Amino acid sequence: MYKVGENLITKVMINNTEVKKIYHGEIPIYPNVTGQKEGREETEWIYNLPKRTRIVTPWTQDEYGDGSFGEIIYGTSFQEEETADISESYDMWEYSITADIGTRTRRVFTLYEFSDIIKQTEKIPETESGIRNIGDWEYNWTTEVRTTTITYTFKDGVKQNFSIQENGHVSYAYTINPNATTIAAGGGTITVSSTSNIQKKWEGTTITTISTVIQSLKTISTSVGITVNGLSISAANRTTTTGDERSVIICGITNIDGKSIESTHVTITQNANRGTLQGSFSMQGRAIDQSPLPVYATGGYDDYTIHPSLYVDYTSGSKETTINLTVCNITTSIPNDPSQWLKAYIVNPDQIRIEYARNDTNTTRVLPINITIKHTNSMIQGQATKTLYIQQSTSYY
């Protein structure tokens, strides 16, 4: 188009041929161009992270004074490429904490930032286990409950805590400390220390040891003659009463953590009281002062009275100075008497009869008689002995 005054020339023909352009010199005057538009055609981006590419084709289009446009003229196409800015991103950590394990999980993904859009990769879970550390147990000995805190520490220093509580069996162990465990037969007193160390145990394992005050003694079993009073155990002097060991079993009582606690049992023993028979005895009767003691060849018997001079020493330290033969056993023995011509036996508690047969041999014969005195109490040991030699002449002539 070309405008002349008020007239608009839309087509110029020469001999039925349309004239496309008219120049004045080198300056085109038909159609008269007043401007030019530029643009580009772009394909969709093709992504190959971290890059993307597309094909770009530039174009131009003339604009005429009459407001119309010429045809679009395309330039040479080229490939356009863009590289994204790359960064990593994370979701918030989600924690899973138990008494046995502590973990946290988050989703990790990569961001690709282009000029007009941000792309991200698929979110991949990432899990981390914390380092487990169990704190010191705190014990409530009264309620038999213990508590502690388990801490899980992660790589960035974040800590997560988990408190646990356990019920268990509480026990106590302690032993009282007497200054002795044996009392002499002569009597005496043992004293128990007023304090003792007590072990506090959880499920059988000693957790701590503390000092406690023994408040009293408890008698588990006892024998006559032994008494418990406060923290003392006394046994009387057994004097001349014989007997085996006698004992008392005791334990200490203390209060701790609102409970009455018994110690392990301790046995206190008083020694046995035994005696030893000592001394001698004499005999009174016919020809007793002669040795050997002659008897009649024709046979017969003689009675002899025993006069004791015996006493008993006891383990208790006591001494019994008068021993009556009624508490004694008197025995006799005659060795080497195959013909049994000589006999000796007890006719009264204090009298021995020596009986002898007639000696019809042509030789004098001599035999010993052993006389032994022992106490009838088996706990009194020892004995008094005497040997009489009996000589019998022959009646043969």
Side-chain angles (χ1 to χ4, degrees):
M1 296 182 185
Y2 186 67
K3 191 174 183 179
V4 180
E6 295 298 325
N7 299 314
L8 182 62
I9 299 172
T10 58
K11 185 183 289 187
V12 177
M13 302 292 292
I14 299 178
N15 296 328
N16 294 326
T17 300
E18 184 179 359
V19 177
K20 295 296 184 180
K21 288 186 179 182
I22 301 174
Y23 292 86
H24 182 264
E26 293 182 355
I27 299 172
I29 61 173
Y30 174 79
N32 57 333
V33 178
T34 60
Q36 190 178 56
K37 291 177 62 178
E38 294 182 349
R40 47 194 272 166
E41 291 184 359
E42 302 164 342
T43 61
E44 293 292 329
W45 286 107
I46 298 174
Y47 290 87
N48 186 15
L49 298 174
K51 295 182 179 182
R52 65 179 180 176
T53 58
R54 64 182 176 184
I55 301 300
V56 177
T57 303
W59 56 266
T60 59
Q61 186 180 33
D62 290 336
E63 182 179 1
Y64 300 104
D66 60 359
S68 63
F69 296 91
E71 64 179 320
I72 294 175
I73 300 174
Y74 290 96
T76 302
S77 298
F78 62 92
Q79 179 176 282
E80 185 176 56
E81 181 181 274
E82 182 182 2
T83 300
D85 292 331
I86 303 173
S87 61
E88 272 197 337
S89 189
Y90 314 89
D91 289 340
M92 295 292 291
W93 284 110
E94 295 179 359
Y95 291 85
S96 175
I97 305 298
T98 68
D100 300 317
I101 190 171
T103 61
R104 63 180 181 178
T105 303
R106 65 181 179 182
R107 293 181 298 172
V108 182
F109 52 94
T110 302
L111 293 178
Y112 298 93
E113 186 174 357
F114 294 97
S115 57
D116 59 348
I117 194 172
I118 296 176
K119 293 280 188 178
Q120 72 177 45
T121 59
E122 180 182 356
K123 294 183 177 181
I124 299 174
E126 176 186 42
T127 300
E128 179 190 348
S129 295
I131 297 175
R132 184 178 184 269
N133 180 64
I134 185 168
D136 294 334
W137 287 101
E138 295 182 1
Y139 294 85
N140 188 321
W141 299 100
T142 302
T143 60
E144 300 192 1
V145 172
R146 68 175 183 176
T147 57
T148 190
T149 298
I150 298 175
T151 301
Y152 295 95
T153 304
F154 296 90
K155 292 179 181 179
D156 56 2
V158 172
K159 297 179 184 293
Q160 292 287 311
N161 295 326
F162 188 88
S163 296
I164 59 174
Q165 177 176 292
E166 291 182 355
N167 296 318
H169 174 65
V170 170
S171 60
Y172 303 83
Y174 74 102
T175 301
I176 55 177
N177 300 306
N179 57 3
T181 56
T182 302
I183 300 175
T189 298
I190 287 176
T191 302
V192 174
S193 173
S194 61
T195 61
S196 179
N197 289 333
I198 185 167
Q199 295 176 339
K200 303 171 78 169
K201 298 185 176 185
W202 179 271
E203 295 294 343
T205 300
T206 300
I207 303 302
T208 186
T209 301
I210 63 172
S211 179
T212 187
V213 175
I214 309 301
Q215 297 170 327
S216 62
L217 296 179
K218 177 181 177 181
T219 301
I220 308 302
S221 65
T222 189
S223 303
V224 175
I226 301 180
T227 58
V228 177
N229 183 22
L231 298 181
S232 297
I233 304 97
S234 299
N237 190 325
R238 306 185 74 165
T239 62
T240 60
T241 302
T242 59
D244 291 324
E245 287 184 345
R246 57 187 181 184
S247 61
V248 60
I249 300 175
I250 58 172
C251 67
I253 301 295
T254 187
N255 288 321
I256 188 169
D257 299 328
K259 307 168 189 176
S260 180
I261 308 299
E262 292 186 7
S263 73
T264 53
H265 295 175
V266 173
T267 300
I268 304 297
T269 302
Q270 184 178 25
N271 289 336
N273 194 30
R274 303 181 186 277
T276 301
L277 180 66
Q278 300 191 66
S280 60
F281 62 92
S282 62
M283 298 180 67
Q284 182 180 4
R286 188 191 65 81
I288 193 64
D289 294 334
Q290 297 182 45
S291 181
L293 191 155
V295 297
Y296 300 112
T298 56
Y301 68 88
D302 295 298
D303 290 335
Y304 295 90
T305 302
I306 297 175
H307 297 282
S309 179
L310 303 172
Y311 62 94
V312 176
D313 283 332
Y314 291 90
T315 312
S316 64
S318 296
K319 185 173 185 176
E320 191 174 7
T321 57
T322 302
I323 302 300
N324 194 305
L325 290 179
T326 57
V327 297
C328 294
N329 284 327
I330 303 175
T331 60
T332 62
S333 64
I334 303 173
N336 303 318
D337 183 17
S339 63
Q340 298 185 348
W341 65 271
L342 185 63
K343 295 181 181 179
Y345 48 90
I346 309 301
V347 293
N348 286 306
D350 62 346
Q351 194 172 51
I352 294 177
R353 175 167 291 178
I354 298 175
E355 190 175 283
Y356 38 91
R358 178 186 176 89
N359 186 0
D360 290 328
T361 68
N362 59 359
T363 59
T364 299
R365 49 191 180 188
V366 179
L367 282 177
I369 298 177
N370 297 321
I371 304 170
T372 302
I373 299 178
K374 293 183 179 180
H375 205 288
T376 56
N377 187 339
S378 63
M379 297 197 72
I380 299 178
Q381 302 297 305
Q383 61 187 25
T385 61
K386 183 183 289 292
T387 300
L388 295 178
Y389 286 92
I390 307 300
Q391 178 177 291
Q392 187 182 38
S393 300
T394 178
S395 62
Y396 179 80
Y397 54 90

